[in-house]
Amino acid sequence: MARLGNCSLTWAALIILLLPGSLEECGHISVSAPIVHLGDPITASCIIKQNCSHLDPEPQILWRLGAELQPGGRQQRLSDGTQESIITLPHLNHTQAFLSCCLNWGNSLQILDQVELRAGYPPAIPHNLSCLMNLTTSSLICQWEPGPETHLPTSFTLKSFKSRGNCQTQGDSILDCVPKDGQSHCCIPRKHLLLYQNMGIWVQAENALGTSMSPQLCLDPMDVVKLEPPMLRTMDPSPEAAPPQAGCLQLCWEPWQPGLHINQKCELRHKPQRGEASWALVGPLPLEALQYELCGLLPATAYTLQIRCIRWPLPGHWSDWSPSLELRTTERAPTVRLDTWWRQRQLDPRTVQLFWKPVPLEEDSGRIQGYVVSWRPSGQAGAILPLCNTTELSCTFHLPSEAQEVALVAYNSAGTSRPTPVVFSESRGPALTRLHAMARDPHSLWVGWEPPNPWPQGYVIEWGLGPPSASNSNKTWRMEQNGRATGFLLKENIRPFQLYEIIVTPLYQDTMGPSQHVYAYSQEMAPSHAPELHLKHIGKTWAQLEWVPEPPELGKSPLTHYTIFWTNAQNQSFCLC
């Protein structure tokens, strides 16, 4: 019983307490090897002593691996009168199991003896051994990858020695470093190191099936120094310093104090806080600099920044990335073109409704906070009078009697866009001809026209629900810059089974032509009702009917034909199709 594993001693002791006293020393197991390669065969024998007189003269010895009975045991009586059973397990596929020698005792299977078997692999060669010198803890930290699981207790030892050459000649040995269980790294304290001198370092792995060693490293501890990162900070505003430009950030950092005497280079990385953008790397930063202006960023955007450093030009390891610093870039004034369109009220021509749309001129055109419509009175130098300040894309204002032109700008906290002049002139250009519209599908309408002569510079196309739901405030519009266009597909704000009014106005140099309009359904429905029938004459086999055609519905196609249905006295249906 002394061969039981430690983890099973308590269980084994309980089994012994349950055995009949005369059976405690009856059986004994021997194995060819208690630890083998996983999948290898193993042979075991169990001998029942002769002095167990209370047993049957020919007791049947049984084998059990774990909880399963094992066939194949060969039993024989030896010359000294003992009974022996030998079994060979062709493949031990359990990493840990108990092999038991048993007898049938009464109505149960009684264990006479058992032994713990282990199976696994010899240790693989440790690989990827690397070391770094931590100046904070003044120790050389080495780590490695132990390789595949061996399924056996395996110990690792970090071994090293001092050498004045290239580690071909071994000098004084350094005390072995043994990591804690389950760890793949170990620290050699400063008192065992000799800085600026080479060391030979390797890892030895050992278990019951063998020993392996990693390739040897030869290094000077100071060549693997790993610095701590600086601390990033935002620069304090200075009255003398110019504020950062749009898309730029000004930052500084405090070096790691123990590394002040070490020459080093640093690099920066950044990414926007929103979205899933990856890090962008900037570096190396200017040597010995402690501040930097980072440009080329998106304006009005929050960024996360980190910095790291490495010993330079001597060898070393990059530090970890510093704690994050979060900064926001300043805004840039809007860079947009403002397409405009206006309409006068019929009852009060000096009341103008102005519409506009911003068209970005760059990929990042700047955030827009609002719009201002203003005019400059003649004879008043520098005087600019606002007519409208809004966040909407339109506004209605009273145009002063002497004003023929206003200026429209988009603005944010950084400034305004270039002013867009809006000139209010009479309609003196020629009108369009043959304006027509038709539905392409339930969510689009095609509007076409015949251009006038001379060609316009462009067109304004307006569309919205027709009567009885017509409302100027709910109209959608766009500006077509191509004066030679002869039509456009309307896709925005088109719903099925709705009547739309479409207005097209040609634009000329400093003037416009008269607006033309047309009505169209985005998807036609059947006529709302049939005309009322009147019986004019009737005979034995014929009848004459008449009806008044319904007037054409606004925007709908005219009726093309009629179908007449009737039934006879026997309720049979007929039609004149």
Side-chain angles (χ1 to χ4, degrees), residues 86-289:
I86 300 175
I87 190 171
T88 298
L89 304 176
H91 305 286
L92 183 58
N93 293 323
H94 300 272
T95 58
Q96 185 273 337
F98 285 95
L99 181 64
S100 305
C101 172
C102 310
L103 290 176
N104 281 319
W105 187 269
N107 295 325
S108 62
L109 196 65
Q110 184 63 60
I111 297 176
L112 297 181
D113 195 10
Q114 64 180 356
V115 64
E116 183 182 20
L117 303 180
R118 299 291 299 266
Y121 303 105
I125 295 176
H127 57 287
N128 288 348
L129 174 63
S130 63
C131 302
L132 59 89
M133 184 67 191
N134 190 313
L135 296 182
T136 303
T137 60
S138 295
S139 60
L140 184 69
I141 304 173
C142 297
Q143 61 181 10
W144 59 89
E145 294 182 28
E149 174 63 49
T150 65
H151 305 293
L152 297 172
T154 302
S155 63
F156 293 87
T157 305
L158 183 68
K159 293 181 171 291
S160 56
F161 62 85
K162 300 175 183 177
S163 175
R164 293 191 177 276
N166 56 0
C167 301
Q168 297 298 318
T169 303
Q170 182 170 340
D172 295 338
S173 296
I174 299 175
L175 188 67
D176 289 346
C177 185
V178 179
K180 296 180 180 179
D181 290 343
Q183 293 184 348
S184 299
H185 59 84
C186 209
C187 299
I188 303 176
R190 171 68 178 87
K191 63 182 180 180
H192 297 316
L193 301 176
L194 186 59
L195 303 184
Y196 304 103
Q197 178 178 320
N198 281 341
M199 295 175 55
I201 305 173
W202 71 97
V203 179
Q204 177 176 296
E206 184 176 7
N207 66 18
L209 296 180
T211 301
S212 64
M213 290 182 292
S214 72
Q216 180 178 286
L217 285 182
C218 184
L219 56 86
D220 178 347
M222 288 303 295
D223 286 346
V224 290
V225 164
K226 180 177 180 180
L227 304 174
E228 294 295 327
M231 184 62 67
L232 270 179
R233 300 192 185 282
T234 182
M235 289 183 61
D236 295 330
S238 171
E240 297 80 14
Q245 300 178 5
C248 292
L249 291 174
Q250 294 178 344
L251 57 142
C252 60
W253 55 91
E254 294 180 7
W256 178 53
Q257 294 300 317
L260 285 176
H261 64 285
I262 298 177
N263 293 329
Q264 51 191 283
K265 69 176 180 179
C266 303
E267 61 185 18
L268 190 71
R269 69 177 183 179
H270 60 85
K271 67 176 179 179
Q273 290 183 11
R274 290 187 177 181
E276 299 180 356
S278 57
W279 290 100
L281 193 65
V282 178
L285 302 178
L287 296 178
E288 300 182 3

Side-chain angles (χ1 to χ4, degrees), residues 342 344 352 354 397 399 403-406 422-426:
W342 55 273
Q344 293 173 301
V352 177
L354 181 63
F397 54 89
L399 186 67
Q404 298 298 321
E405 178 180 329
V406 298
V422 182
V423 179
F424 302 101
S425 59
E426 296 180 2

